């Protein structure tokens, strides 16, 4: 599955109106077998901006494409300079109430699985297990020549050593983990290569224009096929890699429920879209179901 660089879309005039009624979501979760599909909106309350919501990064930032990254050293220098600076903040992000609620639903046996489009690892940090990272994870690095994997923390240490004193002030952080820097701020940044073979290092994430691994796609399709319902959390579903699973569920007659403040590209396939902040919505649902978060009362 190729990640298409679709950056925007225009909602249809007959778009599903948003509601604040949590009853359909609570009923679906109460019945069990719910497959969660999460997007960047779930992590905004952890300080990581989304792409397309209010103040989303696409208003000022075009994500790196695979073709650009592999096409030239200058593009890679720009990416790693921005990503290295952004990692200092991104790596400190902590799960919010929405992530904790998803983990709590799983502990109570209400979920059949979790697929995330996010690369931040916050589902796992909140205690969710078996999360399918559709677009990979920023805490891993892979060599494009020999395929050797490595930890992002190790690369961060090497980049710190190669760029002593590098601390420009970034204009903003983006959901793909990099920071907004000018060309002048990027100039002079030193990129390091694979320690094993000297090849090009790339974060273990799926860039726009890159293919999601086929086996990962098939795994997600199986999860959708086995789910009693699909619950979309914080995704505009603009990118086809997530939207196609919603379409698959709808074709099979599997109910799709969406919690997202703004209209999504999948609204036409959903039985409801709850237009509330994710943390408030999911803790509200947890309270209705008598589920506690992090061992304390549902907030």
């Amino acid at each position: 599955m190729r990640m298409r660089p679709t950056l925007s879309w225009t909602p249809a005039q007959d778009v599903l109106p948003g509601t604040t009624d949590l009853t359909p979501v609570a009923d679906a979760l109460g019945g069990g077998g719910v497959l969660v599909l999460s997007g960047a909106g779930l992590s905004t309350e952890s300080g990581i901006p989304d792409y397309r919501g209010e103040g989303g990064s696409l208003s000022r930032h075009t994500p790196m494409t695979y073709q650009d990254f592999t096409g030239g050293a200058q593009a890679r220098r720009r990416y790693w300079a921005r990503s290295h600076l952004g990692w200092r903040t991104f790596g400190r992000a902590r799960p919010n109430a929405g992530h904790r609620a998803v983990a709590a639903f799983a502990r109570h046996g209400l979920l059949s699985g979790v697929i995330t489009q996010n690369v931040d690892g916050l589902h796992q940090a909140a205690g969710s297990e078996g999360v399918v990272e559709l677009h990979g994870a920023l805490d891993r690095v892979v060599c494009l020549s020999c395929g050797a994997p490595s930890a992002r923390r190790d690369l961060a240490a090497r980049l710190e050593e190669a760029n002593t004193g590098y601390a420009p002030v970034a204009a903003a952080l983006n959901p793909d983990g990099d920071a907004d820097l000018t060309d002048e701020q990027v100039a002079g940044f030193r990129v390091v290569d694979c320690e094993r073979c000297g090849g090009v290092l790339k974060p273990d994430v799926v860039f726009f224009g890159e293919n999601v691994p086929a086996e990962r796609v098939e795994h997600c399709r199986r999860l959708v096929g086995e789910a009693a319902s699909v619950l979309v959390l914080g995704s505009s579903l603009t990118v086809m890699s997530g939207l196609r699973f919603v379409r698959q569920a709808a074709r099979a007659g599997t109910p799709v429920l969406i919690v997202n403040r703004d209209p999504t590209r999948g609204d036409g396939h959903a039985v409801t879209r709850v237009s509330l902040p994710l943390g408030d919505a999911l803790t509200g649902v947890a309270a209705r179901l008598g589920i506690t978060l992090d061992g304390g009362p549902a907030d």
Side-chain angles (χ1 to χ4, degrees):
M1 181 196 305
R2 185 175 294 275
M3 277 274 289
R4 299 178 183 175
T6 303
L7 301 183
S8 63
W9 62 282
T10 302
Q13 292 185 346
D14 58 348
V15 67
L16 185 71
T19 179
T20 58
D21 182 10
L22 293 170
T23 301
V25 177
D27 288 347
L29 283 163
V34 176
L35 174 64
V36 166
L37 172 61
S38 69
L42 185 62
S43 294
T44 57
E45 293 174 36
S46 294
I48 299 175
D50 64 8
Y51 283 111
R52 299 172 178 86
E54 184 177 354
S57 69
L58 287 184
S59 62
R60 63 176 192 280
H61 164 72
T62 300
M64 176 67 67
T65 68
Y66 181 76
Q67 291 74 18
D68 285 343
F69 185 86
T70 58
Q74 181 56 35
R76 291 192 291 274
R77 177 180 294 107
R78 183 171 67 253
Y79 175 83
W80 281 118
R82 294 160 60 118
S83 184
H84 178 58
L85 187 63
W87 176 252
R88 296 171 180 171
T89 300
F90 196 92
R92 291 194 296 267
R94 294 294 176 262
N96 61 54
H99 298 107
R100 297 197 302 272
V102 170
F105 297 149
R107 286 197 302 272
H108 284 75
L110 305 183
L111 303 184
S112 62
V114 177
I115 301 171
T116 186
Q117 297 171 284
N118 299 338
V119 297
D120 52 37
L122 293 180
H123 275 301
Q124 295 91 323
S128 290
E129 299 179 352
V131 177
V132 181
E133 295 173 312
L134 186 62
H135 299 156
L138 273 178
D139 64 356
R140 302 188 299 267
V141 179
V142 64
C143 174
L144 294 181
S145 296
C146 69
S150 57
R152 179 62 181 265
R153 64 177 178 273
D154 295 336
L155 175 62
R158 293 178 61 206
L159 288 173
E160 288 282 359
E161 183 177 357
N163 297 277
T164 303
Y166 184 76
V169 177
L173 178 68
N174 299 307
D176 46 5
D178 70 358
D180 284 343
L181 296 176
T182 66
D183 290 342
E184 290 76 14
Q185 290 173 312
V186 168
F189 185 84
R190 292 185 59 198
V191 176
V192 299
D193 298 321
C194 175
E195 290 185 299
R196 176 181 295 183
C197 73
V200 171
L201 294 176
K202 174 184 173 293
D204 191 14
V205 300
V206 179
F207 284 168
F208 282 91
E210 189 176 3
N211 290 324
V212 177
E215 64 275 12
R216 193 179 303 166
V217 174
E218 289 306 313
H219 180 40
C220 291
R221 285 178 172 153
R222 288 194 296 272
L223 289 175
V224 173
E226 297 166 358
S229 60
V230 174
L231 177 59
V232 179
L233 303 177
S235 176
S236 68
L237 297 171
T238 298
V239 177
M240 185 58 67
S241 63
L243 177 63
R244 67 179 56 203
F245 299 127
V246 167
R247 289 179 172 175
Q248 175 190 342
R251 286 195 302 269
T254 302
V256 175
L257 305 95
I258 299 174
V259 183
N260 198 67
R261 296 192 70 170
D262 299 318
T264 82
R265 197 177 175 192
D267 284 1
H269 304 291
V271 298
T272 189
R273 178 175 60 84
V274 176
S275 181
L276 287 173
L278 268 296
D280 290 346
L282 295 182
T283 52
V285 170
R288 289 191 183 203
L289 297 174
I291 292 176
T292 58
L293 310 186
D294 292 338
D299 50 21

